[in-house]
Amino acid sequence: MYRKGSLGILFLMLLTVICHAQSFKFAFVSDTHIGNNTGEEDLSRTVADINADSTLSFALFTGDITEFGSDDELKLAKKVLDNLNKPWYIVPGNHDSNWSESGSNSFLTIFGAETFSFTQNGYLFAGTSSGPNMRMGPGQVPRENIVWLDSVLNHMQDPEMPVIYINHYHQDSSQNNWYSAIDLLKKRNVQLILHGHGHNNRKFTYDGIPSIMGRSNLRASASYGGYNIVTIEDGKARFEERRPGLATFEKWAEVPLENHHFEKDAKQYHRPSFAVNDQYKNVKVVWEYQSDSDVGAGTATAKNLVFATNTSGWVYALNKNTGKKKWGYKTNGKIYSTPAVAGNYVVVGSSDNTIYCLSAKNGKLIWKVAAQRPVLGSPTINNNTVYIGASDGHFRALDLKSGKLIWDFDQVNNFVVTKPLVYKGKVYFGSWGNDFYALDAATGKLAWKWNNGSANRMFSPAACYPVATNNRVFIVAPDRHMTSLDAATGKVIWRKHMEGVRVRESMGLSADSALVYVKTMDGELLGVSTSTDTMQIGWKSELKLPYELAPSAIVESNNVVFVPSHSGLASAVNRKTGAVIWKHKSSNTLMNPIMPLEKGRVVLSTMDGKITCLEFETGVD
């Protein structure tokens, strides 16, 4: 005879078995790419097809909803998806975040969230976003999403409930912090991962977890697009490709859904190596600061403080010697703008459509100026004037002390994310509209505009920080060309795609102005002469990194060249000899521009919310 408590436990066990035994179906749709020539029609067909199938309980959309993450594309996607007659859940992918004119804010406001969790017939479904957000690099689950996922998994009423995880990216090293999510999931009963990104139907296994990559909804060279119908039944997940309005094909994959008991799994899975930190004894960590959200921009410094931002909208000051937070100021949007500081004035842009000026001493608001759209560009301060671009087609000059508008250039094609260059009375910057501008710094009048001639705005000279010397302006871009322009007229002095030298967006000027440093996609650090009439390599370092995408600027200080990477590795190189002085890996995510402090110290910031101060010895005079 069972006691009352035992009967209750037995009832719950039977109820769990019954729930798990109930079959259900759902639609698994990925890579809709609204903005593509056929994206809207293909998605509309899929929505109508899902609506016509009463056996489907809900629909999942696993990222790359749009082509460029523009507001118009996102609104159009939402309009089409609002026609669904059943619940649907959505996460963004890299195309929704990397080229986002809103700093990824619009996805949040239009769709209501960039994560989701819900239960269905005894299964927990949890989905997170994946970058890269606003900076080219491998994918990354935003730090705030990792914190969110940890909270969801820790607050499960039944820790043994099967979990199905949804993300856009492959859950391997193609996503910088894949293990941050995987390690959390393996503390629970994770049984399946669903993702997109590859545009084809494929079966994978990540860290022992079965995974399915779903095809793109786009038709490509066919007449119709497609998606997957997933059936959960009898402890298995069955996948069948569906062509809207035409046919459902035979199952192409079936995955057992079972508890893998990862707590007993002794197998060693691949994780990033930090062994390089044991190799170089001449560099050490002074302090570290960990934010609960991404740090998507560089840092600034003045007196005894380091100024930083994050994608929760905070601007904050850290003690330069201890890393302890002194003050913080909250904006209402994600921040991808590197702050600039002059005297007691700290200036930064936010994706809440505002330019802020704060007191460096205490973080109190001094002034703010409204833009019409998000402000993702970084400010440059010169002669008490703030120069900054936004996503509203405007580039502004503001009085540093009052915020008063000095001039407003309103003819920018597309949006600005770069830090402008002020040189010989002109201000220079690129936009995500394939244009590069030179404005009169005093009046804002257009001096000249150069266009790279490409129809693809992904090739825009928008992310690099331009540099200038010898009456020349130098830029690099994702089309792998380096360009030298006459600073006064905009005339092309030379423009070259050098064989074997795949430049992209990372560059910087040497302290003596003799070289423009470029980091290639093959991980080389080179110096291009600033005085020749063609692209000529005048210096080569011994640094050899793996495949590299980080657009972060290169900087030289005290004869040391500091090189950031997309995998959290900072490298210091001897300017004279090209030899590697030290390397330090603070993270496995994209590194923002490195900021030198006094001689022998630098500050690193990485996309996963970590700010690190290093102290080092160089042996360089």
Side-chain angles (χ1 to χ4, degrees):
M1 181 176 179
Y2 291 101
R3 288 185 292 178
K4 184 176 180 181
S6 299
L7 286 171
I9 293 171
L10 179 61
F11 175 76
L12 288 173
M13 292 174 62
L14 289 172
L15 182 62
T16 300
V17 171
I18 291 170
C19 287
H20 288 182
Q22 291 177 346
S23 65
F24 62 97
K25 295 182 178 182
F26 61 92
F28 169 25
V29 189
S30 196
D31 296 88
T32 56
H33 287 277
I34 294 295
N36 178 280
N37 290 337
T38 66
E40 179 185 1
E41 184 178 18
D42 291 340
L43 181 56
S44 296
R45 287 175 174 176
T46 292
V47 166
D49 197 65
I50 292 171
N51 285 344
D53 189 345
S54 61
T55 68
L56 298 177
S57 299
F58 57 89
L60 298 181
F61 295 86
T62 59
D64 277 6
I65 309 305
T66 64
E67 189 72 4
F68 287 109
S70 72
D71 286 5
D72 288 343
E73 290 172 349
L74 290 166
K75 289 175 182 176
L76 178 56
K78 178 65 159 53
K79 181 180 178 181
V80 174
L81 293 173
D82 277 340
N83 292 314
L84 282 164
N85 63 7
K86 47 184 61 70
W88 53 277
Y89 306 90
I90 191 167
V91 291
N94 57 299
H95 275 257
D96 305 309
S97 59
N98 189 34
W99 298 279
S100 169
E101 62 189 320
S102 70
S104 302
N105 253 12
S106 289
F107 195 99
L108 277 168
T109 56
I110 291 170
F111 291 103
E114 60 184 16
T115 59
F116 66 76
S117 66
F118 66 95
T119 57
Q120 178 76 34
N121 289 35
Y123 287 85
L124 172 69
F125 288 77
T128 60
S129 171
S130 55
N133 290 321
M134 304 307 301
R135 303 285 188 271
M136 177 51 70
Q140 182 198 327
V141 181
R143 168 72 179 166
E144 54 266 39
N145 283 196
I146 294 293
V147 173
W148 171 87
L149 180 63
D150 187 38
S151 177
V152 168
L153 296 175
N154 280 328
H155 289 85
M156 294 174 64
Q157 290 187 351
D158 177 10
E160 295 301 316
M161 178 180 285
V163 176
I164 297 177
Y165 177 60
I166 298 91
N167 190 263
H168 177 64
Y169 260 88
H170 300 73
Q171 299 302 295
D172 55 20
S173 57
S174 60
Q175 185 163 245
N176 270 340
N177 63 341
W178 83 96
Y179 57 93
S180 297
I182 291 291
D183 288 349
L184 292 175
L185 291 164
K186 292 175 77 171
K187 294 178 181 178
R188 292 291 182 258
N189 183 14
V190 60
Q191 298 190 354
L192 179 65
I193 295 173
L194 302 177
H195 69 84
H197 192 61
H199 286 219
N200 291 297
N201 290 327
R202 283 192 64 184
K203 191 175 179 179
F204 293 94
T205 300
Y206 303 118
D207 269 39
I209 308 169
S211 179
I212 294 291
M213 177 174 75
R215 59 155 293 164
S216 168
N217 190 65
L218 294 174
R219 70 187 70 175
S221 59
S223 299
Y224 276 76
Y227 64 99
N228 278 281
I229 292 177
V230 185
T231 303
I232 306 294
E233 187 175 32
D234 296 331
K236 297 177 182 177
R238 184 171 70 247
F239 294 81
E240 299 162 308
E241 183 174 334
R242 172 72 181 169
R243 293 290 176 87
L246 294 178
T248 301
F249 298 99
E250 292 184 4
K251 73 174 181 183
W252 64 270
E254 188 170 81
V255 177
L257 299 176
E258 57 190 0
N259 190 333
H260 297 276
H261 294 287
F262 288 114
E263 73 278 4
K264 301 177 182 178
D265 187 359
K267 184 176 180 180
Q268 296 295 311
Y269 296 97
H270 171 66
R271 291 293 182 268
S273 172
F274 288 77
V276 67
N277 295 345
D278 297 324
Q279 181 180 349
Y280 293 92
K281 304 299 184 181
N282 56 338
V283 59
K284 64 179 182 179
V285 174
V286 179
W287 54 259
E288 289 182 337
Y289 176 86
Q290 179 65 66
S291 173
D292 282 340
S293 58
D294 283 3
V295 173
T299 53
T301 186
K303 296 185 178 179
N304 198 40
L305 296 174
V306 170
F307 305 98
T309 61
N310 66 28
T311 53
S312 290
W314 284 97
V315 186
Y316 49 96
L318 306 176
N319 183 289
K320 188 169 66 172
N321 296 314
T322 66
K324 291 186 177 181
K325 187 174 178 180
K326 181 177 181 182
W327 57 255
Y329 180 92
K330 181 77 161 60
T331 74
N332 295 313
K334 297 184 178 185
I335 298 179
Y336 291 100
S337 172
T338 296
V341 59
N344 189 46
Y345 301 91
V346 179
V347 182
V348 69
S350 174
S351 61
D352 65 0
N353 303 1
T354 307
I355 304 160
Y356 292 89
C357 180
L358 309 175
S359 166
K361 183 178 180 180
N362 55 33
K364 291 184 178 180
L365 180 68
I366 296 175
W367 55 258
K368 62 180 179 179
V369 172
Q372 299 170 34
R373 300 290 300 280
V375 185
L376 308 177
S378 299
T380 291
I381 300 173
N382 184 267
N383 291 330
N384 289 322
T385 301
V386 177
Y387 299 95
I388 189 167
S391 297
D392 55 4
H394 292 251
F395 189 95
R396 297 170 173 85
L398 307 170
D399 180 79
L400 173 63
K401 295 183 179 180
S402 67
K404 181 180 178 181
L405 183 68
I406 299 173
W407 53 255
D408 181 2
F409 178 76
D410 62 357
Q411 301 169 46
V412 179
N413 180 22
N414 227 292
F415 65 104
V416 176
V417 298
T418 188
K419 180 175 183 173
L421 166 72
V422 178
Y423 177 72
K424 290 193 173 182
K426 293 183 176 62
V427 56
Y428 302 88
F429 62 95
S431 77
W432 279 113
N434 290 312
D435 290 329
F436 188 79
Y437 299 84
L439 308 181
D440 185 288
T443 67
K445 291 184 178 180
L446 180 67
W448 52 261
K449 181 175 71 171
W450 175 83
N451 185 280
N452 64 11
S454 175
N456 187 343
R457 71 180 181 92
M458 291 183 184
F459 293 151
S460 299
C464 72
Y465 287 8
V467 299
T469 188
N470 296 332
N471 296 312
R472 302 175 179 192
V473 178
F474 298 88
I475 53 175
V476 290
D479 60 4
R480 301 170 195 177
H481 282 76
M482 186 170 185
T483 307
S484 174
L485 303 168
D486 185 287
T489 66
K491 180 182 177 181
V492 175
I493 297 172
W494 55 258
R495 173 170 165 79
K496 194 166 185 179
H497 182 182
M498 183 179 285
E499 184 176 354
V501 180
R502 299 194 299 164
V503 298
R504 191 175 174 94
E505 293 167 311
S506 182
M507 61 184 296
L509 187 65
S510 66
D512 60 8
S513 298
L515 300 171
V516 175
Y517 298 120
V518 293
K519 182 183 61 181
T520 71
M521 295 173 66
D522 300 300
E524 293 182 303
L525 174 65
L526 307 174
V528 178
S529 172
T530 59
S531 59
T532 56
D533 292 331
T534 187
M535 184 177 178
Q536 181 175 309
I537 306 300
W539 179 86
K540 185 175 181 179
S541 78
E542 296 175 4
L543 182 66
K544 181 62 179 177
L545 301 172
Y547 178 69
E548 250 302 307
L549 289 173
S552 305
I554 300 163
V555 63
E556 179 189 337
S557 178
N558 294 311
N559 291 315
V560 180
V561 185
F562 298 101
V563 187
S565 76
H566 72 220
S567 59
L569 179 73
S571 300
V573 175
N574 187 310
R575 163 64 175 93
K576 295 178 181 179
T577 67
V580 175
I581 301 170
W582 55 259
K583 295 179 182 179
H584 181 84
K585 188 174 176 67
S586 65
S587 164
N588 200 54
T589 61
L590 187 145
M591 183 171 288
N592 299 303
I594 298 170
M595 183 179 69
L597 297 176
E598 62 273 8
K599 187 175 182 180
R601 283 195 177 190
V602 292
V603 171
L604 320 177
S605 65
T606 50
M607 273 284 196
D608 58 352
K610 182 179 287 187
I611 300 175
T612 306
C613 179
L614 300 180
E615 187 172 74
F616 58 89
E617 296 176 358
T618 65
V620 178
D621 295 329

